[in-house]
Every structure is written in C-alpha cells, then in structure tokens.
Amino acid sequence: MKLAKRVTVLSPSPTLAITAKANELKRQGVDVVGLGAGEPDFNTPEHIIAAAEQAMREGKTKYTAARGIPELIQAIRDKFERDNGLSYSAKQIIVTNGGKHALYNLFMALLNPGDEVIIPIPYWVSYPEMVKVADGVPVFIEGAETNGFKVTADQVKAAITPRTRAIVINSPSNPTGSIYTRKELEAIADVCLSHGVLMVSDEIYEKLIYDGHSHVSVATFSKEAYENTVIINGMSKPYSMTGWRMGYAAGNEQLIQAMVDLSSHSTSNPTSFAQYGALAALAGTQEPLEKMKQEFVKRRDRVVELLNEIDGISCLKPEGAFYVFPNVSRAMQKMGYTDVDKWCEALLEQEKVAVVPGSGFGVKDNIRISYAASMEQLEKGIGRIKRFVEGR
Ligand SMILES: *Cc1c(COP(=O)(O)O)cnc(C)c1O
C-alpha cells in the first residue's frame, strides 16, 4: 500500500515493543513487573466519575461546542487565575481530547513546511513525531545529566535559526521528573522573546511537584511572555483520568481559534460527559490529588534509594512527575551491552521486569522507571534489576 509521506516519517513508539512483549508474557501467566506505564495506578476519584454519570443520565450525551462546554472553559479560566495568576478570556482556551491532542492541533495550526521547533532531550516521545507530522523540523538540544537533564538558555540561543518557530518546555519533565527553576526559565524566556520564538509550555505535571518546590509557568513572567506562550495541560496525570481523554490549551486567541477549527473538522468536540467529569475534577475537592501525591513521594524516595544501592546504576532524585531516569551505563558496560534497548529486552526476558529504554526519549545511557506502581511491585521489580545487574 502506498502511504502518505507524513506517516512514513513517523517512528513507531519504541516503548510499544517492550509493552507488547510484557503483555504477551503476562497473558502466558508469567509474573511480569511492569514499571513502564505512563499513567497513575489509582482509579479516577469517585466524585469525578459521579459527575460524568450524572451528566449522561441528564442527557448530556450530544455534540457540544467544538471548543468545549462553557462551564468547563470557565472552570479552566478559574484554575489559571487561582493556581497561576493568569487571566485568559474564554476565546483563548480550547478543551481537547487529551493534552496530546492539544499539542497535535497546536503544531498543525502553527507550522509551515520546514519550520523548526526546538525540543530538549530527553523529550516526551510524541513531540518530535507530532512536529514531523505537521511538516515541521525538530531541532534537538540535550540537557546534561549533571544539570538535571535540563537545557540552558545558551543552548537554546545557539539552536535558534531564522526558521525557528517554537520551543517545547516540559516542567516537570517526562521522562526525567526534573523541574526548571524560575531563574532558568526566565533566562530561556528572555532568549525566546528576543528571537520571536513561541514557548509551548507543557504543564501536565504541574500538580505533581514534591518537597515544597512550586510550579512556575513561563507565561507569568511578563506581558510579552504571556503573549508568546501556549500552555498545554490536562486531566490525565493529576486526576488519574488518562482514559477520559481530557486536556486543554490556553494562549493567543487566533492560534486557539485555528485549533478549534481543526477540532471542528476532525473530532467535532471533546466527549460530552467526560467534560462534566473534567469540570468536577477542576472545581471539586483536590483531596484525592493530595493523597496521590503523598503516596508518590514515598515511592519516589524508596525507588531512588534502592536504585542507588545497585552497583552500576546511579539515579538522581527528581522533584516532580512520577518517573525516575537512572543512568545504567556502568551496568551495561560491565555486562557487555552497548545498546540500552537490548539491555531492557534482556531485563524483561531474564528477570521479567518491563522498563522503558532511554532511546525512546533520545538518550542512550538511561532508562525510565515509572513509580506509578504499588510499593510492593516497585520493590520486587528493583530487586530483580539488582539481581540482573549484580548477578547472585
Ligand atoms: C501524559 C503526557 C501528556 C498528555 O497526555 P494526555 O493523556 O493526552 O492528556 C502530555 N505531555 C506529557 C509530557 C505527558 O507525559
């Protein structure tokens, strides 16, 4: 079958191969420890489920406005005011089928063929592929592990060309869990603003920050920064709603309108009753989120401690999200591996532990472990990694 060029440039998700293999083993009854998942292991809070159920019973099962229902748009505006001190009009906001869909529509609305988007490595797997589908060109800069995997303003500056349209900023980060400080972001924002580079700020892990650190959005720095930022956010991570497909974006009115127009001809609208669930998530009690956070921080501490006890693995303690991104280069070296994909495959085959190789995020020495798994599974999985690396 002859396919469109835009799909032939796509790389299949490297995380899928290992997930498929893990699932196959599970089906065969093998005791696999899955530490690859990019989603919270808690169910959606009860009051959110109840709100969606009630919406369905009340007949809110029809098409909605492409942009999203007005009540939810208002709740998103309130959220920005309350949490970020940012004022957006209703026309500056779109509700989407997940944060991923917001990013996709954004690149489709923004990029012309050959336009460049700066993407820091390690990156979330979908950024480069989405840019390519939109005929853009991903331009990579790599955050040093010694700098918490974060890029510097100087690196951003050096990557800017006349074709640069945007940069993706993801703090807290998937896969590293790192957060940028206000100072680091201000320096990056200064460079972007002086070169007319749009800042795409993916803030989906905003609520999952630990140890008293706090989230800061680049949009808050100045009027100019506000006008040159699109914020991407969503319900999946803070409210354990990955399957609901609820996300949103806020930014320049014209750009958001173009994204709405794209939605109107592709998805029509975000799922009607899921929007009522999202409304309950934003406007209702934040207690389940706080409980989840408390659990995550305990797990993170334990996971980092256990990983650093393994000879050949070193792991930074990240401040956010629910991932750690340990360096396994010494372990690979002493075991005779040069390829982190192969190392992860062998780990799955020999010890039945599924983790995601760093290659999916543009890095060759690290693996991503998600601590969105029970403490028992985490301890068991990391115990097996220790045995894999150190032998008995
Ligand atoms: C999970 C995730 C998203 C979006 O997920 P949705 O389920 O589509 O809302 C966006 N960015 C990052 C970095 C993520 O990890």
Side-chain angles (χ1 to χ4, degrees):
M1 182 76 184
K2 189 162 185 281
L3 297 176
K5 235 192 236 146
R6 85 176 60 86
V7 291
T8 58
V9 299
L10 279 184
S11 326
S13 167
T15 61
L16 286 188
I18 212 142
T19 310
K21 214 172 202 178
N23 287 340
E24 178 54 30
L25 286 169
K26 266 184 202 159
R27 252 195 310 279
Q28 295 166 8
V30 177
D31 173 28
V32 177
V33 179
L35 304 180
E39 58 185 349
D41 55 318
F42 304 92
N43 197 11
T44 306
E46 195 49 47
H47 71 282
I48 298 173
I49 294 174
E53 190 182 350
Q54 190 190 341
M56 273 192 270
R57 295 201 192 287
E58 287 173 356
K60 290 164 177 163
T61 52
K62 314 289 188 192
Y63 291 132
T64 74
R67 183 189 296 278
I69 57 172
E71 301 93 312
L72 178 54
I73 302 244
Q74 184 60 48
I76 292 168
R77 294 176 65 195
D78 294 344
K79 181 252 169 250
F80 277 120
E81 287 278 0
R82 184 179 62 231
D83 297 348
N84 312 100
L86 290 167
S87 293
Y88 289 103
S89 72
K91 288 184 170 168
Q92 288 179 280
I93 290 172
I94 179 175
V95 181
T96 53
N97 300 74
K100 190 178 264 184
H101 180 223
L103 284 159
Y104 182 84
N105 273 9
L106 169 65
F107 292 127
M108 292 300 272
L110 186 70
L111 301 179
N112 280 313
D115 282 351
E116 295 174 359
V117 177
I118 298 174
I119 300 177
I121 292 176
Y123 48 73
W124 182 50
V125 285
S126 293
Y127 299 139
E129 304 311 307
M130 286 186 190
V131 167
K132 285 193 278 177
V133 168
D135 287 332
V137 179
V139 172
F140 299 106
I141 49 179
E142 184 159 356
E145 185 162 352
T146 48
N147 191 39
F149 304 101
K150 295 181 280 187
V151 297
T152 64
D154 284 342
Q155 285 180 287
V156 174
K157 193 171 180 181
I160 292 174
T161 76
R163 297 304 310 262
T164 308
R165 272 317 303 276
I167 182 171
V168 179
I169 298 166
N170 176 215
S171 176
S173 152
N174 176 5
T176 68
S178 294
I179 60 175
Y180 281 80
T181 65
R182 168 180 290 271
K183 223 172 140 198
E184 289 164 341
L185 287 177
E186 278 173 347
I188 290 171
D190 279 349
V191 168
C192 291
L193 293 177
S194 60
H195 292 82
V197 174
L198 183 79
M199 295 180 281
V200 177
S201 187
D202 182 346
E203 304 183 6
I204 194 131
Y205 294 100
E206 166 188 22
K207 297 287 183 190
L208 298 174
I209 293 185
Y210 315 115
D211 312 328
H213 292 285
S214 54
H215 176 72
V216 51
S217 173
V218 287
T220 61
F221 293 157
S222 63
K223 183 167 176 288
E224 212 188 351
Y226 170 83
E227 286 167 357
N228 280 283
T229 301
V230 178
I231 295 181
I232 306 292
N233 209 325
M235 313 301 160
S236 285
K237 309 297 159 56
Y239 303 110
S240 213
M241 290 173 70
T242 44
W244 294 63
R245 312 311 304 130
M246 278 286 115
Y248 55 94
N252 174 277
E253 187 178 321
Q254 251 182 307
L255 180 58
I256 297 288
Q257 185 58 50
M259 293 164 64
V260 172
D261 294 344
L262 279 170
S263 282
S264 76
H265 290 297
S266 52
T267 53
S268 289
N269 60 263
T271 304
S272 59
F273 45 87
Q275 293 187 68
Y276 288 90
L279 175 59
L282 286 181
T285 173
Q286 303 296 300
E287 207 169 299
L289 166 64
E290 288 309 317
K291 285 214 176 103
M292 184 167 80
K293 262 179 73 172
Q294 284 166 17
E295 190 55 38
F296 278 154
V297 85
K298 272 190 243 161
R299 293 176 186 176
R300 178 206 58 177
D301 291 350
R302 183 77 178 130
V303 161
V304 170
E305 180 190 358
L306 288 174
L307 285 168
N308 281 320
E309 283 171 7
I310 301 175
D311 181 26
I313 295 185
S314 63
C315 185
L316 298 176
K317 187 190 267 194
E319 305 92 347
F322 42 70
Y323 311 102
V324 291
F325 203 57
N327 186 311
V328 297
S329 60
R330 280 188 300 119
M332 286 201 301
Q333 205 172 20
K334 78 175 183 184
M335 296 167 78
Y337 287 90
T338 51
D339 179 346
V340 72
D341 288 4
K342 292 270 179 336
W343 189 86
C344 290
E345 264 172 48
L347 173 64
L348 180 59
E349 258 159 40
Q350 291 173 33
E351 291 291 347
K352 319 298 179 210
V353 180
V355 299
V356 184
S359 53
F361 313 101
V363 173
K364 61 183 191 344
D365 288 338
N366 300 68
I367 60 170
R368 190 190 76 177
I369 291 177
S370 160
Y371 51 88
S374 70
M375 191 71 98
E376 187 208 338
Q377 285 289 298
L378 288 166
E379 289 181 344
K380 184 160 142 187
I382 296 168
R384 291 181 184 185
I385 295 174
K386 186 175 169 72
R387 190 168 63 188
F388 176 63
V389 174
E390 295 181 351
R392 271 182 199 276

